[in-house]
Amino acid sequence: MGDRSRLCSVWLGSETGILKGVSVSRKQAFNFCNTSHLSRDQEVRALCWGDPAESELLVGSVDGTVKTFSTEKGAFTESRRCGDPVEGCFTGLAALSGSALLTCGESGTVRVWREDSSEPVTELDAGKNVCRMRQSPVDQHKVATGGKENGLKIWDLERPEKSVFTAKNLRDDWLDLRRPHWVRDMAFIPDSDKVVTCTGYHQVHVFDPSSPQRRPVLEAEYGEYPLTTLSLPAAGNTVVVGNTHGQIAMLDLRKGLVRSCLKGLAGGVRWLQCHPSQPVVASCGLDRFLRIHSLEDRKLLHKVYLKSRLNCLLLASRDLEDGGGATEGEGVSQEVKEEEDEVWDTMEQVGEAEEKPKRKTTEEEEEPQKKSKKKRKKGQD
């Protein structure tokens, strides 16, 4: 299994609790789990790297457990309880220095866990109905949270008593009616203090904590359906967003205009991520496909069917086409084939009905039939 896991450059979590790895260069997909004990309680909701070398993968499940998967060994090495299912599913998962772990649930409780302790060392309340928590790529002790009727908040884990930044309510509309909040995802913009968010009301907002204004410094809209996820490309002042109807677009963060749209999806987008160095974006969702699009010419580069509805994905920092020095293989791995074979084995076999050969009429048989018809007509006359 270690040989297979080292080939994978894309990792995905499914509703059935299966951790899936995809080797883009070899066009192979692998399942890493015990298929005999699958349940909805093991549904994967969050993925993140456990170390900078990307040798460990942290997998957050619905039942509140966080499993450690070794990409070198190709197996799960550790499991720890980091939440209660009553508090909701994981909405954020991140690793801190010193083998510490950062978790956030839908109830809004953000916790820091040490490896040698079963109780959290730091805990803060980010409010109810949190949809996403994101860690800053520059400062690992800075996180952002947001949810339904729960505006953007930025926290410093070293000072968890109060948020560093709290977004102000949006201005009332032209009828002087209150505009609701619904932050679905956010990201820290590199080389600045700004944070970009997408909402369930098809809006994209940019906040600048360094300015005295706590309302968005940029407001834009895309489409008519709720936005579910976003990601920032490696270069350029743009953001890639996806919505519940399988639409993905790239927006300009300076003017708020749509620069391009990516096509080919047939279901709601649950997660997308831009590669840290290549101009590509990977997406997954309800249609069970992993898709990788080019951000330069908008072409669909790769498309892999993974048999399960997908919740999240994680890209390796290395080149996606890097096959790890392996030779060319078959199109689909044996692990994925075994999952399909189990379904066919449970189906009842139906005997094939014997088809009776059709009797072909020859010209000699057709002639007497025509004569008999003529005699009948004469008799009727």
Side-chain angles (χ1 to χ4, degrees), residues 1 16-19 31-36 38 42 69 76 335:
M1 296 294 289
T16 54
I18 302 176
L19 176 65
N31 291 329
F32 298 95
C33 68
N34 187 1
T35 55
S36 61
L38 291 178
Q42 300 177 3
F69 179 83
F76 290 94
E335 290 291 325

Side-chain angles (χ1 to χ4, degrees), residues 207-220:
F207 295 88
D208 189 359
S210 62
S211 68
Q213 181 179 355
R214 291 192 293 135
R215 288 192 173 99
V217 296
L218 174 70
E219 294 188 45

Side-chain angles (χ1 to χ4, degrees), residues 173-367:
D173 61 11
W174 62 283
L175 291 174
D176 290 335
L177 297 177
R178 177 184 175 273
R179 296 167 63 187
H181 286 271
W182 191 3
V183 179
R184 297 294 297 268
D185 201 356
M186 75 283 295
F188 290 87
I189 300 177
D191 303 327
S192 69
D193 296 329
K194 297 179 181 179
V195 178
V196 57
T197 66
C198 66
T199 73
Y201 302 106
H202 55 88
Q203 302 162 333
V204 175
H205 294 150
V206 176
F207 295 88
D208 189 359
S210 62
S211 68
Q213 181 179 355
R214 291 192 293 135
R215 288 192 173 99
V217 296
L218 174 70
E219 294 188 45
E221 292 187 359
Y222 169 67
E224 301 176 355
Y225 306 105
L227 299 177
T228 55
T229 179
L230 63 81
S231 183
L232 296 173
N237 296 317
T238 57
V239 61
V240 183
V241 297
N243 64 15
T244 57
H245 278 238
Q247 299 171 342
I248 298 178
M250 184 164 58
L251 279 68
D252 192 328
L253 290 178
R254 292 166 296 186
K255 298 181 179 180
L257 302 176
V258 178
R259 294 185 57 179
S260 60
C261 296
L262 306 179
K263 299 181 180 180
L265 283 79
V269 184
R270 285 191 169 174
W271 205 278
L272 58 83
Q273 182 182 352
C274 297
H275 194 271
S277 59
Q278 295 179 267
V280 296
V281 58
S283 61
C284 67
L286 299 181
D287 61 356
R288 298 173 170 85
F289 279 94
L290 163 68
R291 290 180 174 86
I292 299 178
H293 285 85
S294 171
L295 294 177
E296 294 179 340
D297 54 11
R298 298 174 296 173
K299 290 184 178 180
L300 179 63
L301 303 178
H302 302 281
K303 179 180 176 182
V304 184
Y305 180 64
L306 296 173
K307 297 184 173 65
S308 302
R309 297 206 295 184
L310 306 170
N311 290 328
C312 51
L313 67 84
L314 185 64
L315 295 179
S317 59
R318 69 173 190 268
D319 193 343
L320 293 179
E321 300 293 339
D322 183 11
T327 57
E328 290 292 331
E330 297 179 357
V332 181
S333 70
Q334 184 65 26
E335 290 291 325
V336 178
K337 289 182 179 179
E338 289 176 359
E339 181 186 359
E340 186 177 3
D341 293 340
E342 289 179 3
V343 178
W344 287 107
D345 293 340
T346 56
M347 298 177 65
E348 296 182 1
Q349 295 183 356
V350 181
E352 296 182 358
E354 296 182 357
E355 295 184 358
K356 295 182 180 181
K358 294 182 180 180
R359 184 179 178 183
K360 296 182 180 180
T361 57
T362 60
E363 293 181 357
E364 295 179 356
E365 293 176 344
E366 289 177 355
E367 288 181 359

